[in-house]
PDB file of all heavy atoms in Angstrom:
ATOM      1  N   LEU A  39      13.130  39.634 -30.008  1.00  0.00           N
ATOM      2  CA  LEU A  39      14.513  39.509 -30.828  1.00  0.00           C
ATOM      3  C   LEU A  39      14.155  39.104 -32.248  1.00  0.00           C
ATOM      4  O   LEU A  39      14.954  39.275 -33.168  1.00  0.00           O
ATOM      5  CB  LEU A  39      15.363  38.567 -30.126  1.00  0.00           C
ATOM      6  CG  LEU A  39      15.954  39.024 -28.717  1.00  0.00           C
ATOM      7  CD1 LEU A  39      16.792  37.930 -28.241  1.00  0.00           C
ATOM      8  CD2 LEU A  39      16.673  40.304 -28.946  1.00  0.00           C
ATOM      9  N   SER A  40      12.955  38.441 -32.467  1.00  0.00           N
ATOM     10  CA  SER A  40      12.591  38.035 -33.832  1.00  0.00           C
ATOM     11  C   SER A  40      12.451  39.223 -34.746  1.00  0.00           C
ATOM     12  O   SER A  40      12.400  38.815 -36.079  1.00  0.00           O
ATOM     13  CB  SER A  40      11.427  37.091 -33.760  1.00  0.00           C
ATOM     14  OG  SER A  40      10.230  37.882 -33.424  1.00  0.00           O
ATOM     15  N   GLN A  41      12.368  40.436 -34.344  1.00  0.00           N
ATOM     16  CA  GLN A  41      12.253  41.482 -35.153  1.00  0.00           C
ATOM     17  C   GLN A  41      13.474  41.661 -36.071  1.00  0.00           C
ATOM     18  O   GLN A  41      13.427  42.296 -37.047  1.00  0.00           O
ATOM     19  CB  GLN A  41      11.929  42.827 -34.274  1.00  0.00           C
ATOM     20  CG  GLN A  41      10.710  42.791 -33.591  1.00  0.00           C
ATOM     21  CD  GLN A  41      10.402  44.004 -32.808  1.00  0.00           C
ATOM     22  OE1 GLN A  41      10.302  45.120 -33.309  1.00  0.00           O
ATOM     23  NE2 GLN A  41      10.452  43.849 -31.437  1.00  0.00           N
ATOM     24  N   PHE A  42      14.587  41.174 -35.589  1.00  0.00           N
ATOM     25  CA  PHE A  42      15.769  41.186 -36.296  1.00  0.00           C
ATOM     26  C   PHE A  42      15.897  40.225 -37.483  1.00  0.00           C
ATOM     27  O   PHE A  42      16.759  40.298 -38.170  1.00  0.00           O
ATOM     28  CB  PHE A  42      17.022  41.055 -35.344  1.00  0.00           C
ATOM     29  CG  PHE A  42      17.094  42.100 -34.320  1.00  0.00           C
ATOM     30  CD1 PHE A  42      17.195  41.848 -33.024  1.00  0.00           C
ATOM     31  CD2 PHE A  42      17.237  43.517 -34.710  1.00  0.00           C
ATOM     32  CE1 PHE A  42      17.265  42.836 -32.129  1.00  0.00           C
ATOM     33  CE2 PHE A  42      17.220  44.480 -33.610  1.00  0.00           C
ATOM     34  CZ  PHE A  42      17.312  44.234 -32.437  1.00  0.00           C
ATOM     35  N   ALA A  43      14.891  39.470 -37.540  1.00  0.00           N
ATOM     36  CA  ALA A  43      14.925  38.367 -38.768  1.00  0.00           C
ATOM     37  C   ALA A  43      14.697  39.118 -40.071  1.00  0.00           C
ATOM     38  O   ALA A  43      15.183  38.604 -41.024  1.00  0.00           O
ATOM     39  CB  ALA A  43      13.628  37.420 -38.604  1.00  0.00           C
ATOM     40  N   GLY A  44      14.254  40.360 -39.975  1.00  0.00           N
ATOM     41  CA  GLY A  44      14.282  41.212 -41.311  1.00  0.00           C
ATOM     42  C   GLY A  44      15.537  41.508 -41.862  1.00  0.00           C
ATOM     43  O   GLY A  44      15.666  41.796 -42.976  1.00  0.00           O
ATOM     44  N   ALA A  45      16.534  41.382 -40.962  1.00  0.00           N
ATOM     45  CA  ALA A  45      17.908  41.636 -41.520  1.00  0.00           C
ATOM     46  C   ALA A  45      18.461  40.564 -42.356  1.00  0.00           C
ATOM     47  O   ALA A  45      19.400  40.590 -43.228  1.00  0.00           O
ATOM     48  CB  ALA A  45      18.908  41.880 -40.382  1.00  0.00           C
ATOM     49  N   ILE A  46      17.884  39.353 -42.309  1.00  0.00           N
ATOM     50  CA  ILE A  46      18.167  38.163 -43.067  1.00  0.00           C
ATOM     51  C   ILE A  46      17.303  37.788 -44.078  1.00  0.00           C
ATOM     52  O   ILE A  46      17.530  37.517 -45.249  1.00  0.00           O
ATOM     53  CB  ILE A  46      18.504  36.922 -42.095  1.00  0.00           C
ATOM     54  CG1 ILE A  46      19.424  37.261 -40.963  1.00  0.00           C
ATOM     55  CG2 ILE A  46      18.701  35.609 -42.872  1.00  0.00           C
ATOM     56  CD1 ILE A  46      19.522  36.295 -39.966  1.00  0.00           C
ATOM     57  N   ILE A  47      15.878  37.840 -43.724  1.00  0.00           N
ATOM     58  CA  ILE A  47      14.845  37.451 -44.699  1.00  0.00           C
ATOM     59  C   ILE A  47      13.868  38.706 -44.829  1.00  0.00           C
ATOM     60  O   ILE A  47      13.546  39.301 -43.895  1.00  0.00           O
ATOM     61  CB  ILE A  47      13.952  36.326 -44.024  1.00  0.00           C
ATOM     62  CG1 ILE A  47      14.821  35.164 -43.785  1.00  0.00           C
ATOM     63  CG2 ILE A  47      12.834  36.009 -44.950  1.00  0.00           C
ATOM     64  CD1 ILE A  47      14.156  34.064 -42.840  1.00  0.00           C
ATOM     65  N   PRO A  48      13.726  39.113 -46.082  1.00  0.00           N
ATOM     66  CA  PRO A  48      12.834  40.313 -46.311  1.00  0.00           C
ATOM     67  C   PRO A  48      11.387  40.067 -45.632  1.00  0.00           C
ATOM     68  O   PRO A  48      10.814  39.013 -45.660  1.00  0.00           O
ATOM     69  CB  PRO A  48      12.616  40.279 -47.717  1.00  0.00           C
ATOM     70  CG  PRO A  48      13.877  39.633 -48.392  1.00  0.00           C
ATOM     71  CD  PRO A  48      14.214  38.545 -47.379  1.00  0.00           C
ATOM     72  N   PHE A  49      10.954  40.898 -44.897  1.00  0.00           N
ATOM     73  CA  PHE A  49       9.754  41.178 -44.120  1.00  0.00           C
ATOM     74  C   PHE A  49       9.782  39.928 -43.025  1.00  0.00           C
ATOM     75  O   PHE A  49       8.708  39.749 -42.335  1.00  0.00           O
ATOM     76  CB  PHE A  49       8.465  40.890 -45.061  1.00  0.00           C
ATOM     77  CG  PHE A  49       8.360  41.966 -46.098  1.00  0.00           C
ATOM     78  CD1 PHE A  49       8.787  41.756 -47.388  1.00  0.00           C
ATOM     79  CD2 PHE A  49       7.935  43.159 -45.741  1.00  0.00           C
ATOM     80  CE1 PHE A  49       8.654  42.770 -48.330  1.00  0.00           C
ATOM     81  CE2 PHE A  49       7.862  44.276 -46.651  1.00  0.00           C
ATOM     82  CZ  PHE A  49       8.231  44.041 -47.988  1.00  0.00           C
ATOM     83  N   GLY A  50      10.850  39.505 -42.703  1.00  0.00           N
ATOM     84  CA  GLY A  50      10.961  38.410 -41.679  1.00  0.00           C
ATOM     85  C   GLY A  50      10.762  39.076 -40.200  1.00  0.00           C
ATOM     86  O   GLY A  50      10.188  38.453 -39.271  1.00  0.00           O
ATOM     87  N   GLY A  51      11.174  40.288 -40.059  1.00  0.00           N
ATOM     88  CA  GLY A  51      10.987  40.976 -38.863  1.00  0.00           C
ATOM     89  C   GLY A  51       9.562  41.326 -38.540  1.00  0.00           C
ATOM     90  O   GLY A  51       9.180  41.725 -37.490  1.00  0.00           O
ATOM     91  N   LEU A  52       8.694  41.352 -39.582  1.00  0.00           N
ATOM     92  CA  LEU A  52       7.207  41.500 -39.333  1.00  0.00           C
ATOM     93  C   LEU A  52       6.637  40.183 -39.165  1.00  0.00           C
ATOM     94  O   LEU A  52       5.844  39.944 -38.373  1.00  0.00           O
ATOM     95  CB  LEU A  52       6.688  42.278 -40.577  1.00  0.00           C
ATOM     96  CG  LEU A  52       5.087  42.343 -40.512  1.00  0.00           C
ATOM     97  CD1 LEU A  52       4.499  43.128 -39.412  1.00  0.00           C
ATOM     98  CD2 LEU A  52       4.560  42.909 -41.847  1.00  0.00           C
ATOM     99  N   ALA A  53       7.001  39.221 -40.106  1.00  0.00           N
ATOM    100  CA  ALA A  53       6.344  37.885 -40.159  1.00  0.00           C
ATOM    101  C   ALA A  53       6.599  37.012 -38.975  1.00  0.00           C
ATOM    102  O   ALA A  53       5.682  36.381 -38.418  1.00  0.00           O
ATOM    103  CB  ALA A  53       6.650  37.044 -41.437  1.00  0.00           C
ATOM    104  N   MET A  54       7.891  37.046 -38.537  1.00  0.00           N
ATOM    105  CA  MET A  54       8.212  36.106 -37.471  1.00  0.00           C
ATOM    106  C   MET A  54       7.497  36.486 -36.088  1.00  0.00           C
ATOM    107  O   MET A  54       6.807  35.640 -35.425  1.00  0.00           O
ATOM    108  CB  MET A  54       9.770  36.035 -37.245  1.00  0.00           C
ATOM    109  CG  MET A  54      10.154  35.030 -36.300  1.00  0.00           C
ATOM    110  SD  MET A  54       9.688  33.420 -36.996  1.00  0.00           S
ATOM    111  CE  MET A  54      10.180  32.268 -35.629  1.00  0.00           C
ATOM    112  N   PRO A  55       7.568  37.739 -35.620  1.00  0.00           N
ATOM    113  CA  PRO A  55       6.862  38.004 -34.378  1.00  0.00           C
ATOM    114  C   PRO A  55       5.389  37.933 -34.550  1.00  0.00           C
ATOM    115  O   PRO A  55       4.640  37.409 -33.559  1.00  0.00           O
ATOM    116  CB  PRO A  55       7.162  39.511 -34.098  1.00  0.00           C
ATOM    117  CG  PRO A  55       8.050  40.000 -35.244  1.00  0.00           C
ATOM    118  CD  PRO A  55       8.314  38.909 -36.045  1.00  0.00           C
ATOM    119  N   LEU A  56       4.716  38.195 -35.764  1.00  0.00           N
ATOM    120  CA  LEU A  56       3.378  38.104 -36.000  1.00  0.00           C
ATOM    121  C   LEU A  56       2.884  36.643 -35.819  1.00  0.00           C
ATOM    122  O   LEU A  56       1.865  36.372 -35.204  1.00  0.00           O
ATOM    123  CB  LEU A  56       2.972  38.688 -37.371  1.00  0.00           C
ATOM    124  CG  LEU A  56       1.590  38.664 -37.682  1.00  0.00           C
ATOM    125  CD1 LEU A  56       0.714  39.626 -36.785  1.00  0.00           C
ATOM    126  CD2 LEU A  56       1.262  39.147 -39.190  1.00  0.00           C
ATOM    127  N   VAL A  57       3.688  35.727 -36.461  1.00  0.00           N
ATOM    128  CA  VAL A  57       3.295  34.344 -36.433  1.00  0.00           C
ATOM    129  C   VAL A  57       3.394  33.769 -34.934  1.00  0.00           C
ATOM    130  O   VAL A  57       2.558  33.097 -34.508  1.00  0.00           O
ATOM    131  CB  VAL A  57       4.163  33.466 -37.410  1.00  0.00           C
ATOM    132  CG1 VAL A  57       4.163  31.960 -37.119  1.00  0.00           C
ATOM    133  CG2 VAL A  57       3.874  33.805 -38.836  1.00  0.00           C
ATOM    134  N   MET A  58       4.551  34.193 -34.405  1.00  0.00           N
ATOM    135  CA  MET A  58       4.734  33.716 -32.900  1.00  0.00           C
ATOM    136  C   MET A  58       3.602  34.225 -32.061  1.00  0.00           C
ATOM    137  O   MET A  58       3.017  33.468 -31.121  1.00  0.00           O
ATOM    138  CB  MET A  58       6.090  34.253 -32.331  1.00  0.00           C
ATOM    139  CG  MET A  58       7.292  33.662 -33.031  1.00  0.00           C
ATOM    140  SD  MET A  58       8.815  34.153 -32.481  1.00  0.00           S
ATOM    141  CE  MET A  58       8.853  33.500 -30.803  1.00  0.00           C
ATOM    142  N   TRP A  59       3.166  35.459 -32.221  1.00  0.00           N
ATOM    143  CA  TRP A  59       2.041  35.961 -31.409  1.00  0.00           C
ATOM    144  C   TRP A  59       0.753  35.323 -31.746  1.00  0.00           C
ATOM    145  O   TRP A  59       0.057  34.922 -30.790  1.00  0.00           O
ATOM    146  CB  TRP A  59       1.906  37.587 -31.676  1.00  0.00           C
ATOM    147  CG  TRP A  59       0.805  38.153 -30.993  1.00  0.00           C
ATOM    148  CD1 TRP A  59       0.413  38.010 -29.632  1.00  0.00           C
ATOM    149  CD2 TRP A  59      -0.164  39.086 -31.632  1.00  0.00           C
ATOM    150  NE1 TRP A  59      -0.767  38.803 -29.526  1.00  0.00           N
ATOM    151  CE2 TRP A  59      -0.972  39.523 -30.692  1.00  0.00           C
ATOM    152  CE3 TRP A  59      -0.267  39.702 -32.923  1.00  0.00           C
ATOM    153  CZ2 TRP A  59      -2.053  40.394 -30.862  1.00  0.00           C
ATOM    154  CZ3 TRP A  59      -1.195  40.564 -33.248  1.00  0.00           C
ATOM    155  CH2 TRP A  59      -2.153  40.941 -32.201  1.00  0.00           C
ATOM    156  N   LEU A  60       0.426  35.250 -32.976  1.00  0.00           N
ATOM    157  CA  LEU A  60      -0.884  34.680 -33.357  1.00  0.00           C
ATOM    158  C   LEU A  60      -1.148  33.080 -33.004  1.00  0.00           C
ATOM    159  O   LEU A  60      -2.135  32.741 -32.837  1.00  0.00           O
ATOM    160  CB  LEU A  60      -1.195  34.862 -34.874  1.00  0.00           C
ATOM    161  CG  LEU A  60      -1.392  36.415 -35.381  1.00  0.00           C
ATOM    162  CD1 LEU A  60      -1.568  36.501 -36.823  1.00  0.00           C
ATOM    163  CD2 LEU A  60      -2.614  36.960 -34.561  1.00  0.00           C
ATOM    164  N   THR A  61      -0.003  32.477 -33.001  1.00  0.00           N
ATOM    165  CA  THR A  61      -0.072  30.961 -32.722  1.00  0.00           C
ATOM    166  C   THR A  61      -0.208  30.777 -31.246  1.00  0.00           C
ATOM    167  O   THR A  61      -0.708  29.649 -30.832  1.00  0.00           O
ATOM    168  CB  THR A  61       1.167  30.306 -33.178  1.00  0.00           C
ATOM    169  OG1 THR A  61       2.365  30.795 -32.639  1.00  0.00           O
ATOM    170  CG2 THR A  61       1.245  30.204 -34.690  1.00  0.00           C
ATOM    171  N   ASN A  62       0.109  31.693 -30.375  1.00  0.00           N
ATOM    172  CA  ASN A  62       0.081  31.533 -28.923  1.00  0.00           C
ATOM    173  C   ASN A  62      -0.619  32.604 -28.063  1.00  0.00           C
ATOM    174  O   ASN A  62      -0.668  32.587 -26.946  1.00  0.00           O
ATOM    175  CB  ASN A  62       1.434  31.238 -28.376  1.00  0.00           C
ATOM    176  CG  ASN A  62       2.095  29.962 -28.858  1.00  0.00           C
ATOM    177  OD1 ASN A  62       1.435  28.826 -28.588  1.00  0.00           O
ATOM    178  ND2 ASN A  62       3.174  30.039 -29.500  1.00  0.00           N
TER     179      ASN A  62
END
Side-chain angles (χ1 to χ4, degrees):
L39 294 177
S40 68
Q41 294 176 68
F42 296 124
I46 300 168
I47 302 166
F49 299 104
L52 170 66
M54 190 64 186
L56 183 62
V57 168
M58 291 178 76
W59 173 47
L60 291 177
T61 57
N62 290 302

